[in-house]
Amino acid sequence: MVKNSLIFISQENKKQNPGSVEFQIVSFTNKIRRLTSHFELHRKDYLSQRGLRKILEKRKRLLSYLAKKSILRYKKLISQLDIRESKTR
């Protein structure tokens, strides 16, 4: 249910600016959610787990950057994506 809304947000931002920080964070979030559902079936897929950790770090860095640049855009994005706010900004 949340996955469909994320794809909708992704397509909306793609028309505006596909290189924007918000679009990149949304696309990384979509990948993360897809991979977590993949791990329910394939628990020992260690190469994909490594890829997931890389994507998580990239998203973390982008969220940190966005929080430094514009706290309002950051708050709006994390509420849309329903993700937790980072402790260190």
Side-chain angles (χ1 to χ4, degrees):
M1 192 160 109
V2 176
K3 197 175 202 180
N4 293 337
S5 65
L6 287 177
I7 293 170
F8 177 72
I9 293 169
S10 172
Q11 294 300 325
E12 180 181 307
N13 286 345
K14 190 173 186 178
K15 293 176 185 174
Q16 294 173 0
N17 187 2
S20 69
V21 176
E22 289 91 349
F23 177 77
Q24 291 179 36
I25 292 171
V26 168
S27 65
F28 283 144
T29 304
N30 283 335
K31 287 181 185 179
I32 290 167
R33 293 203 171 144
R34 247 182 300 141
L35 281 172
T36 53
S37 66
H38 168 77
F39 291 133
E40 291 175 2
L41 294 175
H42 310 283
R43 295 186 189 277
K44 294 187 177 184
D45 189 357
Y46 298 118
L47 291 176
S48 294
Q49 288 177 9
R50 181 174 182 257
L52 176 64
R53 284 193 298 270
K54 283 185 171 186
I55 293 170
L56 285 169
E57 280 300 314
K58 285 181 185 179
R59 184 179 76 171
K60 183 179 174 183
R61 284 193 303 266
L62 285 171
L63 283 169
S64 173
Y65 170 78
L66 186 61
K68 289 177 188 174
K69 288 294 181 181
S70 174
I71 194 71
L72 295 175
R73 287 171 38 199
Y74 172 76
K75 295 277 187 186
K76 181 181 173 186
L77 186 65
I78 62 170
S79 66
Q80 279 181 346
L81 296 178
D82 194 30
I83 56 178
R84 291 184 292 186
E85 187 172 350
S86 177
K87 292 181 182 178
T88 58
R89 283 190 283 152

